[in-house]
Amino acid sequence: MVTELTRGPIQTTSLLVDPDRRLVKPTGTADPDLSDVIDDLAELDHIISDLSQFSAHDDSDEPPIDCDVLSREWAHSNFRRAVAVLRASQQRTLDLVERATRWADANHLRSLLNQARRQYLSTKSAARAGYRQRGTLLCAYDWQSPAYESSIPTGFNRLSHGIAEHCLDYKRDGHLDALAYEEQFVTEYACHLGPVRPTGYLANSGMGAFTTVIHWLADELHLAAPALAVRPMYFENLHLARAFFPDLVQHEPESSDDLVQTLRTLNPSVVLCDAVSNCGKVQSHDVGAILQWAARESSSDVAVVIDTTCLPCMLLPAGMLAHLPEHVTVILVESLAKHHQFGMDIVTGGIALIHARKALHENFRKTRARLGANISDASVGSLPKPSRSKLLRRMQRHSRNTRILASQLEESAGAPDGVIESISWLRDGTEIASWYAGSCFSIELCEPFRSIEKYRQFEQTVLELARQRNLPVALGTSFGFDVSRLYVTAPATAFEQPFLRVSVGTETARDIEALAEILEMASIELGRAWNISQRSSRKAEQAPTRPASVRPLPGVFPEKPGIAASVYAGPDALKRYLSPANYAPAPLVELPADLNPFRADGVRLFAKMMPLVPLMNIKSIPAFSMLSKAAERGELEGVKRIIESSSSNTVLSLSVMARLFGIDSTYAIVDHSIAPSLLRMLRLFGIEVYMHPGPGHELFGKLPPRSERAADCGRQPGWLNPGQYSNPDNPEGFAQWLGPELWAQTRGRLGVLSCALGTCGTMVGVSRALRERDSSIEIVACCPKPGDAVPGPREKSQLADVSFPWQDVANARLELSAEESFASSVRLLRKGILGGPSSGMNYAGALRYLEQEKDAGRLAPRVESRGELWCVFLCCDSPLPHVDEYYEALGEEHFPVVHPIPKVNGPVDELDAN
């Protein structure tokens, strides 16, 4: 039956469905993304049908009368219902696509197709769990290992005949499910290789299969030398091969003729190669030339081991194994955790396809059993049914997307404003499949970025940009999935350099083009950040290293509880004014709709204006708390000097508060790269500064950390180090004052709080006070992305010396770029919210968290349950001390131009013309 979808403005499109409305095959369409979504649904139909076959057992409504039947009923009843839900979900997606093609205009069609793609991924994820459950249920009621020779079916055991040693010894040396899958795999994917079918042997992983094969060759068949590895070759395979063949010869041929000449010269007994390599260099090897040499020019036993993980065996040349003499053994090793699970990494698994004389098969079967490399019965039951047509369609989708991504990046590689230097990919395809570009390629960054840390920084930048555009991207190894992945290899071998692998998914055409743009943007963003950091380093090197100190008059602070009036008069006016107990509540200001994209969703977004407290920064609260609590414990007796590891607000506040306790001198330990404007600010407040070698300095790492230096100095007589990173009086101040204030201002309606991770005292203290009143309040922790600098907050790697349990408090930790933080701050201050860079980070973090909640479908229920969701971000710093840093982070092009003075009798400029 063909359903014609022709009524909408989109050109004629047909969906071919069977009488049960299950999509079978897509036909021509004007929109490439529509064709992709239909392909997705066709693949999903195959997966659900496969699961349905298992759930169809014992599907009658009659009650069971036998205990064995009852055990199966228990196993299958919930599974059948779950498969029905999957089928209903698929049907809803199909209906959505039909409606989209009938009625949607071009713009609305794009939105509906995105929705259909998300529904497909959700259903696929549920199907993944279904396969795992199927694998468990399939063997849940079987016996472990009946005695061979005399074995008979026992109870409801599925064993149907006797077993022999190392042959179908259930769950240990092979089992019926494994045998059935091996037959299906060979039938679907390997029958074209020759008139005699290779035999499949499942293993617990691809590496398990490879290890079993080379052990068998080296230690069982004694084909130990000479052995040849054709490079490039996957580094783990090469590492293992060197262990089994100590005299392994490695050769990277320049051409097929060069390869054949090496084979003739060495005359190896074992040849190891990848059909397509992916180890930093992606290259197709001439497997045909190797087999031709083995068949025509070798006279003794020779084994050719080909890893086909990156070029599945179904894409190998037809008849490749035909006409091979008996002394030639060909072994294809393939990982089943990649393409063969149709984008679902359900279980690990591998297979070795062996073309050899009969005696060798029996020998290999025992070797596999002896090594314990057999795949488990549960894993076999969790593998999708092999389907050549569906997998071929999927591989074509991977290859198309790889060509889009790699070719676009190749055009921009080497650009002076980016960090991508080169791309390695299967540009010309293979000898028999020129369309095949693989499902992964590698990226090499320019020289300053060729390290694990920098590659990971590139990963995080891509992930951040993808989140901003609501494009799914994952970080992780392996390939063959629905969503593209990035993975930095970090091999422990001495012969392989790290590389960045891009494992391309089966996204729609437009989504993959968007990903290409994101990869290019990440390259440019890191290039700009690198240039900015170089300029900052040069400025910091010019800064003075030993500024002078200033000693203002001391004072004494009497504690007075309660909220003071707005007028502070009398001899103790200054003391009362600077007490957090007397602070007038900092304003809580709701952002207008143009700064709150979620207002229509029922979210109200507020800025807590902490720059409007007396010292104009939020750190005045913990500064007072730490000193007042120390005074109560008698720890300020004899103290004349305060020292803290801080470069801005904390030590500024300490210097003022300390004078209220009779302590005149305050010292700061700061990184050598401190901005000159901040350095002058410290000196303006009378703080004497000690420089510390930070990242980029030749002494970096050779001195104790800043906090340890401050702590050691604070233990000397007459000194005190408050220790903001571990002093419990830091979060206590926020719990005592700021938390209750926020609760009162929001009238108990606060649902989300976004704040930055610095000392982490703010978040820990405020959250404690809030959650004592409402445990459902969610805390969003914001920090700079790795390698980015935002004044105040710390990136995750710099939180090691923080002892406050922020991990136990935060519901989410988001990493924001410096550019996004500064740009968000500019958006705020131009609307009258005078918040600095870390305020911008908190604002951007709140928006991203709300976006993630909305995409996950959690925002609407929360709004519905509360009526309105009140979200507050802490506006905790001022932009004024960081003016120069805004221009460094964003560039001059982000700000209005400055016009020169017009020349006398010169051209009339625009202003005078008006």
Side-chain angles (χ1 to χ4, degrees):
M1 179 178 71
V2 177
T3 301
E4 294 290 344
L5 309 179
T6 59
R7 300 187 206 173
I10 305 302
Q11 298 178 13
T12 300
T13 301
S14 296
L15 302 185
L16 185 62
V17 295
D18 68 7
D20 295 326
R21 294 182 57 77
R22 291 183 312 196
L23 186 148
V24 176
K25 181 183 178 182
T27 61
T29 174
D31 191 302
D33 280 10
L34 178 57
S35 179
D36 287 345
V37 169
I38 295 172
D39 275 351
D40 290 340
L41 294 175
E43 181 183 275
L44 188 59
D45 183 76
H46 166 72
I47 289 170
I48 297 176
S49 296
D50 184 27
L51 288 172
S52 298
Q53 292 177 10
F54 173 70
S55 66
H57 297 295
D58 299 329
D59 204 18
S60 66
D61 294 330
E62 294 295 325
I65 58 174
D66 183 274
C67 288
D68 294 325
V69 177
L70 180 59
S71 67
R72 170 168 287 193
E73 181 66 23
W74 283 340
H76 284 269
S77 59
N78 288 334
F79 192 87
R80 287 197 300 271
R81 287 194 290 270
V83 171
V85 172
L86 289 178
R87 178 68 69 198
S89 177
Q90 184 214 21
Q91 185 59 58
R92 285 195 299 271
T93 308
L94 177 59
D95 291 342
L96 175 66
V97 174
E98 290 185 359
R99 291 197 306 272
T101 54
R102 283 179 187 272
W103 310 113
D105 57 29
N107 291 332
H108 193 207
L109 177 65
R110 169 100 318 272
S111 174
L112 291 176
L113 291 180
N114 286 338
Q115 182 181 347
R117 174 72 179 178
R118 288 195 297 270
Q119 290 181 2
Y120 157 77
L121 292 175
S122 176
T123 307
K124 196 82 169 289
S125 179
R128 177 183 184 274
Y131 273 105
R132 278 193 177 274
Q133 184 183 4
R134 185 183 75 170
T136 301
L137 295 178
L138 194 63
C139 56
Y141 38 82
D142 279 325
W143 292 84
Q144 170 59 36
S145 185
Y148 59 88
E149 298 298 342
S150 61
S151 61
I152 58 173
T154 305
F156 200 72
N157 189 22
R158 290 179 299 121
L159 186 65
S160 58
H161 53 76
I163 59 178
E165 180 182 9
H166 296 314
C167 181
L168 301 181
D169 191 357
Y170 202 79
K171 298 190 180 183
R172 184 171 71 99
D173 299 333
H175 45 88
L176 295 177
D177 296 318
L179 183 63
Y181 186 89
E182 289 165 352
E183 289 292 323
Q184 292 173 355
F185 189 94
V186 172
T187 299
E188 285 291 312
Y189 301 135
C191 274
H192 68 294
L193 298 179
V196 179
R197 292 165 39 134
T199 302
Y201 297 93
L202 285 173
N204 50 29
S205 68
M207 292 306 301
F210 184 81
T211 305
T212 303
V213 166
I214 60 175
H215 165 78
W216 178 56
L217 296 175
D219 298 335
E220 301 282 347
L221 301 186
H222 303 293
L223 300 179
L228 171 67
V230 182
R231 298 192 67 174
M233 183 175 175
Y234 186 55
F235 65 89
E236 290 186 350
N237 287 2
L238 194 56
H239 189 56
L240 283 168
R242 289 177 55 165
F244 281 90
F245 303 108
D247 298 324
L248 181 73
V249 176
Q250 302 177 43
H251 178 64
E252 185 169 348
E254 297 179 357
S255 63
S256 295
D257 291 340
D258 181 27
L259 173 59
V260 172
Q261 186 58 45
T262 300
L263 291 168
R264 289 170 177 166
T265 303
L266 186 63
N267 194 30
S269 60
V270 177
V271 181
L272 305 166
C273 76
D274 296 343
V276 169
S277 66
N278 177 41
C279 52
K281 186 175 183 181
V282 180
Q283 181 175 320
S284 173
H285 288 302
D286 192 347
V287 174
I290 298 174
L291 294 181
Q292 189 175 36
W293 164 84
R296 297 180 180 180
E297 302 186 42
S298 65
S299 55
S300 57
D301 283 349
V302 59
V304 180
V305 182
I306 307 170
D307 189 326
T308 59
T309 297
C310 291
L311 179 71
C313 61
M314 70 174 185
L315 298 180
L316 293 175
M320 187 183 79
L321 302 181
H323 312 299
L324 291 178
E326 192 175 58
H327 72 277
V328 177
T329 297
V330 179
I331 307 164
L332 310 178
V333 178
E334 202 155 310
S335 169
L336 298 180
K338 308 296 192 296
H339 303 103
H340 296 286
Q341 298 189 49
F342 296 96
M344 301 176 291
D345 54 340
I346 309 156
V347 291
T348 58
I351 193 168
L353 301 174
I354 299 182
H355 175 84
R357 55 185 183 269
K358 185 176 181 180
L360 293 180
H361 285 286
E362 186 65 25
N363 186 280
F364 180 78
R365 184 178 290 108
K366 293 182 179 180
T367 298
R368 179 183 61 159
R370 189 182 304 106
L371 289 180
N374 299 69
I375 195 168
S376 70
D377 51 354
S379 292
V380 172
S382 300
L383 290 171
K385 180 182 178 181
S387 172
R388 183 184 184 88
S389 61
K390 293 296 186 296
L391 186 58
L392 181 61
R393 187 80 177 179
R394 185 176 183 85
M395 298 304 300
Q396 291 170 341
R397 181 91 158 262
H398 277 300
S399 293
R400 181 205 68 182
N401 288 351
T402 297
R403 287 193 179 278
I404 294 173
L405 271 178
S407 59
Q408 185 163 331
L409 289 178
E410 198 170 45
E411 291 180 2
S412 61
D417 56 345
V419 298
I420 296 178
E421 182 165 296
S422 63
I423 311 293
S424 181
W425 63 293
L426 206 60
R427 182 184 302 101
D428 300 323
T430 64
E431 184 179 356
I432 66 159
S434 59
W435 58 268
Y436 181 71
S439 60
C440 50
F441 62 91
S442 60
I443 293 177
E444 184 175 49
L445 301 184
C446 60
E447 183 60 41
F449 286 84
R450 288 180 197 162
S451 65
I452 295 294
E453 179 185 358
K454 293 298 184 182
Y455 276 124
R456 286 179 177 158
Q457 185 179 355
F458 183 87
E459 276 186 334
Q460 294 295 328
T461 303
V462 171
L463 191 63
E464 174 66 25
L465 293 171
R467 284 173 177 167
Q468 293 174 12
R469 297 183 62 168
N470 196 27
L471 184 69
V473 174
L475 302 184
T477 185
S478 197
F479 47 87
F481 297 98
D482 299 307
V483 174
S484 294
R485 295 184 171 198
L486 279 74
Y487 175 61
V488 183
T489 65
T493 55
F495 49 84
E496 186 68 42
Q497 291 296 318
F499 64 93
L500 175 63
R501 173 190 290 156
V502 179
S503 302
V504 186
T506 60
E507 289 93 342
T508 61
R510 284 190 177 89
D511 279 352
I512 212 68
E513 290 170 356
L515 179 57
E517 294 176 4
I518 285 172
L519 288 167
E520 290 181 322
M521 290 169 59
S523 173
I524 294 172
E525 181 173 311
L526 286 180
R528 289 175 178 172
W530 171 256
N531 291 331
I532 290 172
S533 66
Q534 291 296 93
R535 292 197 301 268
S536 297
S537 297
R538 287 193 294 269
K539 287 183 178 181
E541 290 173 358
Q542 300 169 2
T545 57
R546 180 78 183 199
S549 62
V550 181
R551 296 171 59 87
L553 296 175
V556 178
F557 183 83
E559 185 176 354
K560 274 194 174 182
I563 301 297
S566 58
V567 176
Y568 299 89
D572 63 346
L574 183 61
K575 302 171 188 177
R576 288 189 291 108
Y577 169 66
L578 292 176
S579 168
N582 295 327
Y583 284 1
L588 190 66
V589 183
E590 184 172 9
L591 300 191
D594 59 345
L595 292 178
N596 176 14
F598 302 97
R599 188 65 190 92
D601 298 303
V603 176
R604 301 183 67 177
L605 186 57
F606 294 83
K608 177 63 173 174
M609 298 302 300
M610 296 308 294
L612 298 182
V613 300
L615 290 184
M616 301 180 66
N617 77 78
I618 197 170
K619 295 297 185 178
S620 61
I621 293 176
F624 174 80
S625 179
M626 290 188 291
L627 291 175
S628 63
K629 298 295 183 182
E632 292 174 5
R633 295 189 293 266
E635 295 172 0
L636 297 187
E637 294 294 332
V639 172
K640 298 298 181 183
R641 300 175 181 87
I642 299 289
I643 187 167
E644 185 60 65
S645 172
S646 169
S647 59
S648 56
N649 288 336
T650 299
V651 74
L652 290 177
S653 298
L654 281 170
S655 69
V656 173
M657 296 297 187
R659 296 183 187 102
L660 301 178
F661 291 87
I663 302 171
D664 294 342
S665 301
T666 300
Y667 301 78
I669 302 181
V670 305
D671 280 345
H672 77 285
S673 57
I674 183 174
S677 58
L678 279 180
L679 187 63
R680 286 191 288 269
M681 181 74 74
L682 295 178
R683 297 172 64 193
L684 179 66
F685 276 71
I687 299 168
E688 188 167 346
V689 179
Y690 287 92
M691 290 293 190
H692 185 82
H697 194 279
E698 60 182 359
L699 296 180
F700 177 63
K702 297 182 180 180
L703 292 180
R706 289 192 318 176
S707 57
E708 290 186 17
R709 288 184 65 191
D712 289 341
C713 188
R715 285 188 281 268
Q716 300 179 59
W719 290 75
L720 175 71
N721 168 226
Q724 60 173 325
Y725 299 105
S726 58
N727 190 333
D729 298 329
N730 178 343
E732 181 59 32
F734 292 109
Q736 182 177 354
W737 292 303
L738 184 55
E741 183 177 293
L742 274 171
W743 179 261
Q745 286 182 314
T746 59
R747 303 188 298 279
R749 303 183 69 177
L750 178 61
V752 177
L753 176 68
S754 175
C755 55
L757 293 175
T759 66
C760 303
T762 307
M763 187 179 72
V764 172
V766 171
S767 65
R768 184 205 311 164
L770 291 174
R771 284 177 172 165
E772 287 175 355
R773 295 160 171 82
D774 183 356
S775 61
S776 69
I777 292 175
E778 298 200 351
I779 307 297
V780 179
C782 304
C783 61
K785 64 190 302 185
D788 274 19
V790 177
R794 294 178 159 209
E795 64 179 74
K796 184 179 179 182
S797 62
Q798 297 176 329
L799 296 172
D801 57 351
V802 174
S803 63
F804 305 131
W806 64 269
Q807 301 95 330
D808 300 333
V809 172
N811 297 95
R813 184 185 67 84
L814 302 179
E815 293 181 339
L816 291 304
S817 68
E819 182 178 1
E820 184 176 6
S821 301
F822 280 88
S824 297
S825 169
V826 170
R827 289 186 64 197
L828 292 172
L829 65 89
R830 289 180 180 178
K831 286 286 187 176
I833 303 296
L834 218 62
S838 60
S839 302
M841 172 180 287
N842 294 340
Y843 168 57
L847 294 183
R848 186 187 300 170
Y849 179 75
L850 292 170
E851 181 179 19
Q852 292 177 358
E853 291 296 288
K854 184 176 181 178
D855 291 343
R858 294 187 292 265
L859 184 60
R862 292 189 63 192
V863 172
E864 184 177 355
S865 65
R866 288 176 170 266
E868 283 182 327
L869 180 63
W870 284 39
C871 178
V872 173
F873 68 92
L874 292 184
C875 198
C876 50
D877 63 339
S878 167
L880 301 181
H882 310 288
V883 172
D884 291 342
E885 292 165 80
Y886 280 87
Y887 288 83
E888 292 176 354
L890 301 177
E892 288 285 343
E893 64 276 7
H894 195 89
F895 302 91
V897 299
V898 177
H899 297 280
I901 298 173
K903 295 181 179 179
V904 178
N905 299 324
V908 178
D909 62 18
E910 181 179 345
L911 181 63
D912 290 336
N914 292 332

